[in-house]
């Protein structure tokens, strides 16, 4: 395969590229990334000289650049997005531009260039909050934040290109990822690095919001799996099966870093904060994918990675 990976210099995209190049030595990957604050070439230093890897700095909203790279590939895995909910509350403009217009630009170009499979990486947040039970792929999208609304817009656009134009789109909707190379504004790396530096950790409200957590490599393997074995036009939920309240996660991190509960600082809740996300992942499991990593073990290794790789995150926090 010749694969265009968008947003490959971010957290999940860089873990995905590393996974793919290791697993498929004859695949070629072009990483197209704008290198926003969240894009970081340090994430891929170990593979930048791999002859099957190339990097193009570019914006997914720019049709000229997109058409140029699209003609060199036959598959697309689309990760590029503005991804941080709090930033979308402060200013949603980049979210609408990149997530909606950028996805539209990619879909149009994929259509022109006869792309064989286009995997659109969406999120569990498009469904909104659920108090009991779990969302199935057929449930309505009721997103709450400008981030999740812009992702829902891109998700629906991707669906429309399959229905209207027969573009071979596959959509994945995954729960909260954690692991190495995650920008230290997101809960787990923020809390781990704050505690390493002796700073408090800000917990929203009373910390009762529930998220399902998945180790990033499990997500990458699921995207690899649907790229090869998924059916076009389908949507697949991806989850780790590890639902925790934010307070539980915080306490687990505190314990693993060797800190104590006095470091918790309860702060004013995020506006529109979804109480609980939960996915029914039986569709993908029936097809043959299942998460491999144990949550507690993966969290321990992730904490250890941030302890050992201060060079990576210290400059991002300054
Ligand atoms: P990230 O913020 O770490 O990385 C995003 C990458 O996209 C960065 O490298 C950035 O430079 C690039 N980018 C942003 N705007 C761009 C543009 N206009 N053109 C080209 N590149 C651009 O995000 P992430 O956490 O790795 O998430 C990747 C994808 O997975 C996103 O689509 C996100 O919605 C989705 N997702 C994330 C999670 C999670 O827990 N992190 C869960 C489910 C789905």
């Amino acid at each position: 395969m010749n694969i265009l990976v968008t947003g490959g210099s971010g957290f999940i995209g860089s873990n995905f590229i590393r996974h793919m190049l290791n697993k498929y030595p004859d695949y070629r990957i072009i990483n197209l990334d704008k290198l926003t604050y969240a894009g970081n070439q340090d994430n891929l230093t170990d593979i930048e000289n791999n002859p099957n890897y190339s990097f193009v700095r570019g914006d997914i909203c720019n049709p000229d650049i997109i058409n140029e790279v699209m003609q060199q590939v036959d598959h697309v895995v689309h990760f590029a997005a503005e991804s941080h909910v709090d930033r979308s509350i402060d200013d949603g403009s980049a979210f609408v531009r990149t997530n909606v217009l950028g996805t539209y630009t990619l879909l149009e170009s994929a259509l022109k260039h006869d792309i064989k499979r286009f995997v659109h990486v969406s999120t569990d947040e498009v469904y909104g909050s659920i108090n009991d039970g779990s969302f199935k792929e057929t449930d309505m999208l009721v997103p709450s934040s400008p981030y999740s609304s812009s992702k829902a817009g891109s998700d629906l656009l991707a669906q429309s290109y399959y229905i209207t134009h027969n573009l071979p789109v596959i959509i994945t909707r995954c729960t909260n990822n954690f692991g190495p190379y995650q920008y230290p504004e997101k809960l787990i790396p923020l809390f781990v690095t704050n505690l390493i530096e002796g700073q408090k950790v800000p917990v929203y409200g009373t910390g009762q919001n529930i998220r399902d957590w998945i180790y990033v490599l499990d997500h990458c393997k699921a995207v690899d799996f649907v790229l090869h074995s998924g059916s076009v036009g389908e949507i697949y939920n991806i989850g780790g099966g590890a639902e925790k309240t934010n307070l539980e996660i915080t306490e687990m991190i505190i314990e693993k870093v060797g800190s104590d509960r006095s470091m918790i600082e309860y702060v004013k809740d995020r506006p529109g904060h979804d109480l609980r996300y939960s996915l029914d992942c039986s569709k993908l499991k029936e097809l043959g994918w299942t998460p491999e990593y144990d949550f507690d073990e993966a969290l321990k290794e992730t904490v250890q990675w941030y302890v050992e790789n201060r060079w990576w995150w210290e400059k991002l926090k300054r």
Side-chain angles (χ1 to χ4, degrees):
M1 285 186 187
N2 292 310
I3 309 172
L4 169 63
V5 175
T6 69
S9 303
F11 163 48
I12 306 172
S14 60
N15 279 286
F16 178 75
I17 290 174
R18 183 175 294 104
H19 160 77
M20 293 297 281
L21 288 173
N22 285 335
K23 184 166 168 194
Y24 306 102
D26 54 341
Y27 283 14
R28 289 195 310 174
I29 291 183
I30 300 177
N31 168 18
L32 180 121
D33 198 297
K34 187 179 175 183
L35 296 181
T36 66
Y37 79 96
N40 185 348
Q41 290 192 299
D42 284 349
N43 296 5
L44 285 169
T45 42
D46 53 327
I47 58 113
E48 66 192 4
N49 295 322
N50 184 316
N52 288 343
Y53 170 75
S54 54
F55 173 72
V56 176
R57 185 167 192 181
D59 188 333
I60 57 168
C61 300
N62 181 333
D64 296 336
I65 294 176
I66 296 305
N67 285 326
E68 177 65 33
V69 289
M70 200 66 81
Q71 64 194 8
Q72 302 168 49
V73 299
D74 39 44
H75 290 74
V76 176
V77 181
H78 173 35
F79 290 101
E82 288 292 337
S83 69
H84 193 47
V85 176
D86 290 340
R87 287 179 189 259
S88 82
I89 294 168
D90 290 344
D91 178 1
S93 57
F95 289 75
V96 175
R97 186 179 175 278
T98 285
N99 301 357
V100 182
L101 180 62
T103 301
Y104 164 77
T105 308
L106 286 165
L107 291 165
E108 273 292 303
S109 179
L111 200 57
K112 278 192 206 125
H113 292 92
D114 210 15
I115 288 301
K116 293 197 176 71
R117 267 175 187 221
F118 185 112
V119 178
H120 174 72
V121 179
S122 187
T123 162
D124 64 347
E125 299 197 27
V126 296
Y127 295 111
S129 192
I130 188 165
N131 288 345
D132 301 299
S134 301
F135 286 118
K136 290 180 88 75
E137 289 83 351
T138 44
D139 281 320
M140 258 175 71
L141 306 189
V142 191
S144 309
S145 70
Y147 161 67
S148 53
S149 307
S150 63
K151 288 295 290 185
S154 61
D155 185 314
L156 293 172
L157 268 175
Q159 288 185 52
S160 78
Y161 271 70
Y162 171 70
I163 297 167
T164 305
H165 297 297
N166 280 321
L167 184 71
V169 169
I170 299 176
I171 294 171
T172 62
R173 295 181 183 149
C174 188
T175 59
N176 273 36
N177 284 225
F178 68 99
Y181 303 105
Q182 187 168 29
Y183 195 83
E185 64 185 352
K186 302 279 166 59
L187 191 147
I188 289 182
L190 176 70
F191 285 17
V192 173
T193 57
N194 273 13
L195 291 170
I196 293 171
E197 292 189 310
Q199 290 169 14
K200 294 207 169 199
V201 294
V203 172
Y204 281 129
T206 54
Q208 293 313 305
N209 303 68
I210 296 170
R211 301 290 179 261
D212 172 62
W213 292 91
I214 184 169
Y215 186 57
V216 64
L217 269 181
D218 269 331
H219 182 194
C220 294
K221 288 178 183 185
V223 172
D224 169 9
F225 182 75
V226 303
L227 177 68
H228 290 88
S229 308
S231 299
V232 297
E234 294 295 326
I235 299 166
Y236 297 101
N237 285 345
I238 303 169
E243 286 187 32
K244 313 272 175 215
T245 65
N246 285 348
L247 193 56
E248 281 171 330
I249 287 281
T250 306
E251 285 170 345
M252 291 175 86
I253 293 170
I254 284 173
E255 186 258 318
K256 289 187 189 340
V257 178
S259 186
D260 66 76
R261 286 182 57 105
S262 67
M263 299 307 279
I264 298 176
E265 183 178 30
Y266 293 97
V267 298
K268 190 170 176 285
D269 206 357
R270 168 193 279 167
H273 205 174
D274 286 326
L275 182 63
R276 176 171 173 261
Y277 297 135
S278 180
L279 296 185
D280 177 336
C281 301
S282 51
K283 182 172 172 183
L284 194 57
K285 286 184 178 162
E286 277 159 27
L287 206 63
W289 173 86
T290 191
E292 293 167 20
Y293 292 87
D294 171 70
F295 174 78
D296 193 64
E297 194 53 39
L299 182 63
K300 197 166 123 194
E301 279 175 24
T302 298
V303 168
Q304 194 54 31
W305 189 86
Y306 288 94
V307 167
E308 287 170 8
N309 290 282
R310 290 178 80 121
W311 69 273
W312 182 83
W313 55 265
E314 270 178 338
K315 56 189 169 200
L316 302 177
K317 287 190 92 173
R318 256 182 242 127

